[in-house]
Amino acid sequence: MNINESFLKVNKAISNLWGKIEERRDQKKLPKFKHWSANVEKKVAQVLPLTKQFLDVVQADHASNAAAAMNGPSHGDGSPRTERRDKVHKGNIYERLLLPLTDLTALLSVNLFKHDLYPSDHLSSSSSSSSTHTIHPSPSPPPSPSKEGPSAKGEAQNHLDPFRSSVLDLWRALLELLERGAVDRSSEKDIALTNIICNLILMVLKRREFDPSNLYINMSNPSDQLVDIASRYRALLYQTQVFVSTKLAIPIAPMNPFHQFCARVLAVTFFRVPVIGQCIMSAVVPDQALLENITALVPPFGSLADDDPDMQAYTSSYPVLFGWPQFHYTVTELRPNTWDDRLADTSKAWLTILAKRESIFFSFFKEWILYIRHVVCGVTTNGFSNGLPTSGNTSPTLFATNGSSNGSASSSMSSSTSTLSISSGGLFDGSFHWRSFPGFVPLLHAMLLDMRTRDQGPPPISRPTPQLELQYLLLIVSRGELLNAFVQTLFLHTNAHDVPSVIISLNITEAWLRELNSQHLTISDKTFNVGFFCDGLHIILSSDHHQLVGKVLALVYNYADMFVGTSRRTLFSDLLLRRHFFDLFLHWDPSVRNAFDQVLIFRMVRIKRSLLYSDGIAVREYGKANQQSKSRDSMEVVSSASMISNGTPPQHEPQPSSPRMSSTSSANPGPSPSSSTSSIPSSSSSDSIGSHLSRNVSFGSAFLENDETALDVELFLKLEAHVKMVGDQIRDHNLQYYPSLLEAYVPAALAEYNTYLSRYYSWEQSGAIDPPKMNVLSILGNKLDG
């Protein structure tokens, strides 16, 4: 016996032991299950006659309305809708129906047993990803009860058949209400009733008692009662899909209760009716010729063919998702029916609407992801309310453990959102390799192609659109790594000369950042092409459209903390300081200058400025006498203990020169002969700033060990140098740091900068954690003067 065989035996023994422990736990739940199933059956018995009465009233109303249309109204205000509603409410059927349905919603949201009622081992050997009905079931019967007596799950089987039969009756009755249009949607009560009916149908449709492992039929000795239940379930599954297909033949508004219902049914039947999954993928997945730029951002994963090892791993690991071909084959062999033909004869207009990527496509994709999470992790979200508890090790070995793919920004693939009310963890914590999940990347490509080719609408203020909800969810699924693909796709479709289009793109980008920020995720250069992002912002800033410039600065101000490491250096040092400092600091619009000042003072440097001053940092221009041979980034760092006043920051008063440098500046400032000086490399060599400081600045060795702290010091020095250069050119017109036309704005710009600097120290001394909201001086008024 080799080591692998020994390991497998030990692992099997541990699994068996754990199964016995779980069975003992379930045995204690058996009395609860009996009581719970009896309550469900009792409530269903109350509902069924009420639904029949409800349908009788509706049919009578239809006949009355038809007669009124031919002969004219006989009484009332002449409105058939009013007459029908009066009859329904006079009979009090509505209120009598609503209460037990609400109770059933609470009851069916419970799932007492933690594991399958039959172990799924007999499925793993014969399950396949094929969507055709050619897979033969394994002849292995379910395990027999142990010698110690009947198991808890064996006893539960005695109560399962009546329970399953009862909830199938409920499903049939509720679906009939929807099919006959018994629920009018013109009042709040009817909308509430529609939502409850749709939710109950979804709950029954996804109950664990109808999973393939729990509807296992032994072909050599089939149970008539079990075959009957399986056949009824399959018929209702197809009937519901036919209803949804008919309903989606005309586009449904997202606010319509049937919109979410249809999307959730499609997410389930995608797996449970394999032909539906085939049809959806054929309709929505675009040709590869259209995906040239998309696949560069999100490469496809594997072939996903039937014989693909990854596909087989998913099939054996999740029979609830991929074990349905065997179920359909078995049922149709034992109970032939015409539902396959009826589904094939249904209008395919709903597929055309999906192919056009209307709102239902985005809702379907979102619900598809949530349903997978519901099955794999048992997490309850957005209508998937009968939670499937997590049972042991559910992830096959092919899954990634860190949530990242290859660490590159070009391959940006590898959580829940405040908008979607999805809790973190489960399949959204980075432990699930979504790229390898069958169908995920093709559906993602379709969504990105829509973003690449269709003009995007502005994000709504109140409720997000289905498209935006899907984007939020995908960002959480990828732990923010899909932001790179989203931003590049959106920016490449945006016309820089179309101001409304640019504003919409910035609003959408801000919505993405806000969602990631709510999940406490950061932006790293390993998964985000910050260079491309900054190039896009550079084009907007260069347009000199003051509204667009102000919006970019507000975006940076609100989400600056999300940028870390190289991405933060690129954003602040390269984009805002090297490319646009003088353009924005000396901008003609005071609101733009004020916004830029606040970005520089409150958001660029994260450690307290008082700490930087107390540790003795000073910045002086180097070699200004020979300015033509020096770049404007050539500065020096000197130890300047003389500038410290008892370790507290200097008191700033608005004046047309930098208060930080006022005590050492002169008409022709330069390095003091007694100062220990050395030049700082240019911004392109900014990595050497930290080592430079360790030699020339009186920081402790531990101070610069943190990369972000070292970057704070680097950005602080560059900012102080640039501000000093503004005043130096006014005193020495031979300097050409910025165009001379901008010199007219220098006094006002420096005074505004110092005012915000004073406000910064007031904020710092207050001990507040969050920076103040961005405001311009004209709004703040005299509040800053004090």
Side-chain angles (χ1 to χ4, degrees), residues 20-164:
K20 291 181 180 179
I21 294 174
E22 291 294 337
E23 184 172 328
R24 289 181 181 272
R25 292 178 180 174
D26 288 341
Q27 203 164 18
K28 297 179 181 179
K29 298 177 183 177
L30 186 57
K32 293 183 180 179
F33 175 76
K34 295 177 182 178
H35 177 70
W36 171 81
S37 60
N39 284 338
V40 173
E41 294 169 25
K42 181 180 178 180
K43 289 294 181 182
V44 172
Q46 295 177 13
V47 168
L48 293 181
L50 291 175
T51 58
K52 187 177 184 306
Q53 293 178 34
F54 200 96
L55 283 174
D56 291 341
V57 171
V58 170
Q59 290 176 351
D61 287 342
H62 286 170
S64 175
N65 293 339
M70 295 180 61
N71 304 322
S74 59
H75 67 279
D77 61 359
S79 171
R81 178 178 297 175
T82 302
E83 293 179 9
R84 171 178 163 237
R85 189 167 306 282
D86 289 342
K87 291 180 181 180
V88 172
H89 289 298
K90 285 178 181 177
N92 201 24
I93 299 176
Y94 178 91
E95 287 77 6
R96 291 163 54 197
L97 180 62
L98 188 62
L99 183 60
L101 287 180
T102 304
D103 293 339
L104 277 172
T105 302
L107 285 170
L108 291 177
S109 64
V110 176
N111 201 339
L112 294 178
F113 288 104
K114 199 169 188 178
H115 294 288
D116 292 337
L117 303 176
Y118 289 140
S120 57
D121 296 341
H122 60 279
L123 286 174
S124 60
S125 61
S126 60
S127 298
S128 173
S129 61
S130 175
S131 56
T132 61
H133 307 305
T134 58
I135 300 175
H136 297 274
S138 170
S140 302
S144 60
S146 63
K147 295 180 181 180
E148 299 176 357
S151 65
K153 293 165 188 175
E155 289 188 52
Q157 288 289 345
N158 298 328
H159 301 273
L160 263 182
D161 291 341
F163 165 76
R164 288 192 286 209

Side-chain angles (χ1 to χ4, degrees), residues 283-284 350-358 361 454:
V284 304
W350 67 279
L351 288 172
T352 304
I353 293 176
L354 272 181
K356 293 180 179 178
R357 292 182 287 278
E358 302 288 347
F361 165 75
R454 182 181 300 181

Side-chain angles (χ1 to χ4, degrees), residues 699-719:
F699 281 108
S701 59
F703 187 81
L704 293 176
E705 289 181 358
N706 185 287
D707 292 339
E708 292 301 315
T709 302
L711 181 56
D712 279 332
V713 176
E714 172 189 333
L715 294 174
F716 174 79
L717 292 173
K718 290 185 177 181
L719 173 59

